[in-house]
Every structure is written in C-alpha cells, then in structure tokens.
Amino acid sequence: MSQAEVFDPTVYLNGEWGPLSEARIPVLDRGFIFGDGVYEVVPLYAQAEGARLPFRLAQHFARLNRSLGKIRIDNPFDDAGWRALIDRVIDDNAGAGDALVYIQVTRGVAKRRGHAFPAGLTPTVFIMLSKIAFPSTEERARGAVAVTAEDKRWLHCDIKSVSLLGNVLMAQHAAENDALETIQLRDGLLTEGSSSNVWIVKNGTLLGAPRGPRILEGIRYGLIEELAREAGIAFEERDITEAELRSADEIMISSATKEVMPITTLDGKSVGGGRPGPVYAALFEAYQRAKTREFAAEAARAK
Ligand code: PMP
C-alpha cells in the first residue's frame, strides 16, 4: 500500500478533532504508565445507502459506564454526549465498508508517577474509527481453529480494562499456533477467549460460563441469551468443565468483530463433525435478524 493510501482517520482526543497520525498524549497519562483506563469496541455496519450504523450502542455505553464506575473514574459524558461524539466520528470518516469505533478513557495525566491515583485528574478521552472485515461466508462455512491455555489473568476480568497484557499474550499464543483464538481455562473450568466469550453445545443445550469477575460480559452475552430464546434453544449459564469443552457437540465464540463464529478445531482435534453445527447456524441467523430490526430503528431515529 502506498503512503497515500494509508487510512489516517479523524480521531477525537480530549475535545480536539484531528488525524490519528498527529494525536498525542503526555507520557504521564496513567493509561500509558499504568494501563489505568477502560475501553469499548462498538461494531459499525455499512448500509446499502452508504451510512454506517452502530449495533447495540446503548449496551456498549452502559458497559463503559460500569467499567468506569468499577475503577472510580467519573463518566465524562452522558449517553447523549457519547452519542454526539460517535455520530461525529462516523460522519468525519465517511467511507465504504464495515468499521468499528474504539473508545478509551483513562484516569488522565498525573504530575508524577505514583501508583495510587491523585484526586482531581481530568480523564483522557480518545475515540477512533477503524475499518474492519467481519468473517466471510467462506470462513464461517469452514469454522475456525482454537487452542486452549491456562487463564493466568487477574480476577477483575469483568472490567473492560486497557491493562490487556494477559489477553495480548493469549492472542499471541493463538497467532503462533495458526489459530483464531485461545480459549482459556481456570482451575479446570472454561472462562473465555483472549477477546471473545465462548459457548458450547451439549445435547442441544447452549452453555455459557457464568457471568462474574472471571470473564468480561460481552455485549453479545445477553444478546445470545435473547437469540437462543427466540430460536427455541435451551440455555444454561453455568460452570463448564474442561472435559465438557473437549467433548462439546459445538463450540463457538462471540465478540463485536466476530459476531458469533463456529470453532471447528480445538487443539488439533475436530469439534462435532468438524463442521459448524445447527445451534451455531440458528444463532447466526437470529443474529442477522436482530441487526435488521435494530438498523430499522436506527434509520428511523436518523430521519
Ligand atoms: N471477553 C473478552 C476478554 C473480550 O475482549 C471481548 C471483546 N471485547 C469479549 C469477551 C466479547 O465482548 P463483546 O461481545 O462486547 O465484543
């Protein structure tokens, strides 16, 4: 790609709008020094008429608010304030194709490096649009490869923290094993992927690991629960043992950028028949219908 073709999106940083390549933060920003901040990733879907629409935006704002509350940063905006910024980042980066909005809030810039947080800091707020490609029909038909590893992260995985070293190492483990995702186990129980929630199917029942401090509750967690109900699939939120994972009829992951994606190989062994299963297919269909419904409501709002 020539230099001229590099996408240099217009980003928001602390009240200013400008090119990503020129955005700067002070080195004493606590996000840089301590990973002291939280983030969100909202998917944006390209529409036929050229607009890009967010999916489940209200739920992303609610989770951002929860993450901020858990680390005691005052939310710098209400939902309407966030929405105005998201609308602008979409408008200022108009173009073809699907995308995501990345939002990061850190505790702000301290005067000196010290672990405990100083009072009265102004949070740093950064918003960026990135282009992405959702999995293709071929990738979905094939299903993805996953590997397992011991979950060695801290026990506040419910906070969508930018302190992602544990997740980074797990994503690298997947990459080095030609896998899409690393599925983590803690004390013999399934937790989640490096950047996804994990679901298994046993005798037609969909199982998800319990919400709580060991996993991030994906925006797709509640959604998949709703979609399962709509599709008449039994759902249980409960501990899932390593043996259950390894003998699952189906395994799938969910995230903003993968939607729901079948895992057809786990640690080199095929899952189910090595093909995406019927529960995955039903959830994927229901997911697409949920998008259509929400985009109709979004389009009505825009009028
Ligand atoms: N768990 C982790 C650790 C993640 O990073 C993600 C992706 N943000 C998820 C689960 C799935 O969350 P969501 O459905 O909101 O993308």
Side-chain angles (χ1 to χ4, degrees):
M1 198 190 272
S2 79
Q3 204 55 32
E5 287 168 307
V6 172
F7 180 53
D8 192 15
T10 300
V11 303
Y12 173 89
L13 180 62
N14 295 332
E16 308 282 330
W17 294 88
L20 174 63
S21 59
E22 290 173 20
R24 300 281 181 272
I25 55 153
V27 291
L28 282 179
D29 190 287
R30 291 184 55 100
F32 177 68
I33 292 283
F34 293 119
D36 185 358
V38 297
Y39 74 108
E40 273 300 323
V41 173
V42 185
L44 297 179
Y45 289 86
Q47 306 296 299
E49 71 285 9
R52 286 178 172 136
L53 295 181
F55 183 55
R56 299 269 142 160
L57 186 57
Q59 290 83 347
H60 282 280
F61 288 158
R63 183 172 65 184
L64 177 60
N65 194 49
R66 287 199 303 276
S67 293
L68 287 167
K70 285 174 181 177
I71 67 165
R72 294 153 64 191
I73 294 178
D74 288 338
N75 195 336
F77 299 105
D78 60 14
D79 283 8
W82 282 116
R83 178 79 215 211
L85 293 171
I86 303 301
D87 284 345
R88 170 124 185 227
V89 85
I90 294 171
D91 286 350
D92 283 6
N93 293 286
D98 299 314
L100 59 82
V101 173
Y102 177 83
I103 305 171
Q104 178 168 333
V105 182
T106 77
R107 198 174 306 280
V109 183
K111 292 207 169 54
R112 61 190 66 81
R113 184 180 176 279
H115 290 56
F117 36 91
L121 295 188
T122 303
T124 297
V125 178
F126 172 61
I127 306 175
M128 157 176 80
L129 180 146
S130 301
K131 296 181 186 180
I132 58 157
F134 291 102
S136 66
T137 308
E138 295 71 38
E139 286 165 330
R140 294 191 167 285
R142 232 186 351 262
V145 173
V147 289
T148 59
E150 181 68 22
D151 192 338
K152 294 181 178 158
R153 299 172 303 161
W154 71 335
L155 287 170
H156 283 299
C157 297
D158 52 321
I159 301 171
K160 199 161 171 62
S161 159
V162 295
S163 303
L164 284 170
L165 193 49
N167 308 61
V168 164
L169 292 174
M170 289 294 106
Q172 182 62 19
H173 179 66
E176 287 171 1
N177 287 282
D178 298 319
L180 181 70
E181 184 57 299
T182 299
I183 293 179
Q184 302 171 95
L185 294 146
R186 195 192 283 273
D187 303 329
L189 300 176
L190 170 66
T191 56
E192 62 179 344
S194 73
S195 60
S196 61
N197 290 119
V198 179
W199 311 84
I200 74 163
V201 178
K202 274 273 174 203
N203 303 321
T205 298
L206 179 70
L207 304 176
R211 282 170 275 210
R214 288 161 193 255
I215 68 167
L216 179 77
E217 181 181 342
I219 298 309
R220 271 128 288 278
Y221 199 112
L223 173 64
I224 283 177
E225 206 178 357
E226 282 171 35
L227 301 179
R229 200 175 310 125
E230 180 187 321
I233 297 162
F235 169 67
E236 283 177 35
E237 178 178 349
R238 67 155 169 87
D239 283 338
I240 298 163
T241 66
E242 179 167 358
E244 287 177 313
L245 172 69
R246 295 197 184 283
S247 64
D249 302 326
E250 296 181 40
I251 300 176
M252 58 200 105
I253 60 173
S254 64
S255 74
T257 56
K258 300 289 180 295
E259 300 190 330
V260 54
M261 179 78 187
I263 300 297
T264 48
T265 306
L266 183 69
D267 289 338
K269 298 203 177 73
S270 75
V271 177
R275 290 167 170 280
V279 172
Y280 159 73
L283 290 173
F284 178 73
E285 287 305 317
Y287 198 115
Q288 307 316 306
R289 288 195 299 273
K291 286 191 319 202
T292 305
R293 283 197 299 269
E294 188 164 315
F295 295 156
E298 274 284 325
R301 169 193 171 274
K303 286 212 177 94

